[in-house]
Amino acid sequence: MPANANFNRLAPLTEDALSRQLREYQLTLTTLGHFTAHKLTAVSNASLPHHRICYITEGPIRYTIHGTDMLLNQGDVLYTPPNTLYSAGGARPDALPQFLFLYFKVLPHHREQDFIRMMETSGKIRVFHALHSPVEFYFRTIMEEYEKLRPGYYQKIHSYLMLIVMELLRRKDFIKTAPPAPQPLSPADLLLNKAVSYITANLNTPLSVSEVSRACGVSESYLYRIFTLSLGMSPKAYIVSCKMEYARTLLKEQNMTVTQIARELGFANPNHFSNAFYKYMGTRPSQYRAD
């Protein structure tokens, strides 16, 4: 360091506790976008296999998560972990909902529950108000980079995702409104959570509906009924969708052959995987990777 009195007064930079904690996780952005409702509709008992952060650009939007009702307005931010069952819809017929959303995954897998606990503060659903804050700027910058695709856009987007997570953790002791005490999940919701968790944990096996029903201790017909009523699809269709979404990530982000990916997803034959991917995506795995 130069022999300068001004430099000599500078304290060395040391890593703080939150920075060390965040360094233990690898966050990868998988999907982002700006949702705009064209008419007042509602989603009931939906579930997504992603970590998700939403920033409300137009509201209000009414959410129900774990039996807790929340009214989100412009500038509010909501984080939900993978496979969270939620219901949502516009709260006023004269105001159609709009929000920016980020879907991401967390590695290593064995630390994912630690990350969820860190984000949720022991399972509580948190809503943050971020209008005219750095978080709003980060979201807008991410969308601008995604639209313009300038060189280095992915690295910049990833950096801002980390900044958003950091800001939410800094604010996690602040709740927008004091929500009512959560109501216990219904038996059907508990069963669906158990089935979805089992499917997510076993995507690398040749999963069958009968295997999932046995793991949940119910009949296949009852499992079909719960999935159809809650998610609008059969257990088999849900298994396929989870496997194909995982396949999309592996094709774009991993240096694995199509045969290796087929094995990773529990397909004994690469052709079976390719046919299933084509049916789901409308394109072959090799073509999807090339696009």
Side-chain angles (χ1 to χ4, degrees):
M1 181 176 290
N4 183 301
N6 292 324
F7 281 106
N8 291 338
R9 286 197 295 267
L10 294 176
L13 187 64
T14 57
E15 191 175 35
D16 62 277
L18 179 56
S19 297
R20 282 196 302 272
Q21 195 171 17
L22 286 174
R23 186 161 49 83
E24 296 177 4
Y25 304 99
Q26 177 185 339
L27 274 56
T28 302
L29 196 62
T30 57
T31 307
L32 58 89
H34 192 175
F35 173 84
T36 302
H38 298 292
K39 60 181 180 178
L40 199 63
T41 57
V43 176
S44 180
N45 289 326
S47 176
L48 294 166
H50 313 280
H51 295 265
R52 182 177 67 150
I53 300 176
C54 292
Y55 176 82
I56 310 303
T57 55
E58 294 290 340
I61 302 176
R62 185 173 300 281
Y63 267 89
T64 302
I65 301 175
H66 300 327
T68 298
D69 291 327
M70 293 170 287
L71 192 65
L72 305 186
N73 292 298
Q74 182 184 14
D76 285 341
V77 178
L78 173 68
Y79 162 77
T80 53
N83 305 315
T84 297
L85 282 176
Y86 71 93
S87 299
R92 292 205 323 261
D94 61 329
L96 295 178
Q98 296 184 36
F99 56 86
L100 305 174
F101 61 89
L102 307 176
Y103 295 167
F104 61 96
K105 65 180 181 180
V106 176
L107 295 174
H109 291 302
H110 70 276
R111 295 295 311 280
E112 187 170 29
Q113 290 304 314
D114 295 334
F115 178 86
I116 292 171
R117 282 190 290 270
M118 177 178 69
M119 288 294 289
E120 290 189 292
T121 313
S122 302
K124 296 178 182 177
I125 301 299
R126 295 282 173 166
V127 177
F128 312 89
H129 190 67
L131 193 64
H132 307 308
S133 77
V135 173
E136 180 184 25
F137 170 76
Y138 298 154
F139 266 100
R140 301 292 186 185
T141 302
I142 284 175
M143 292 302 160
E144 180 184 353
E145 289 294 323
Y146 179 68
E147 290 169 359
K148 296 184 177 179
L149 299 181
R150 293 175 291 203
Y153 75 93
Y154 182 86
Q155 186 60 40
K156 189 169 183 178
I157 287 174
H158 179 267
S159 298
Y160 276 105
L161 169 63
M162 294 299 296
L163 287 172
I164 288 172
V165 169
M166 183 186 68
E167 288 294 333
L168 298 188
L169 288 171
R170 283 178 171 180
R171 296 160 171 253
K172 70 180 182 181
D173 292 329
F174 298 92
I175 308 177
K176 176 176 175 284
T177 55
Q183 299 299 314
L185 292 176
S186 68
D189 286 343
L190 287 172
L191 171 62
L192 188 61
N193 272 344
K194 185 176 182 179
V196 165
S197 298
Y198 184 86
I199 291 168
T200 304
N202 292 276
L203 289 179
N204 60 338
T205 68
L207 268 173
S208 65
V209 176
S210 60
E211 178 186 345
V212 178
S213 65
R214 285 196 301 272
C216 295
V218 297
S219 67
E220 290 185 48
S221 59
Y222 186 67
L223 193 67
Y224 267 97
R225 179 184 175 190
I226 294 300
F227 267 77
T228 302
L229 289 176
S230 300
L231 302 182
M233 66 175 70
S234 69
K236 183 177 180 180
Y238 184 81
I239 291 171
V240 171
S241 68
C242 288
K243 283 179 177 281
M244 295 303 105
E245 289 298 326
Y246 186 27
R248 290 175 60 188
T249 300
L250 294 177
L251 286 165
K252 289 294 187 180
E253 300 176 11
Q254 301 294 328
N255 188 24
M256 298 171 66
T257 66
V258 172
T259 299
Q260 289 172 329
I261 292 174
R263 290 172 181 166
E264 172 69 15
L265 292 170
F267 287 88
N269 188 319
N271 289 332
H272 292 168
F273 163 65
S274 181
N275 290 336
F277 191 87
Y278 181 81
K279 185 176 180 181
Y280 183 81
M281 288 295 300
T283 185
R284 296 292 176 184
S286 56
Q287 183 61 46
Y288 179 81
R289 169 174 275 167
D291 290 341

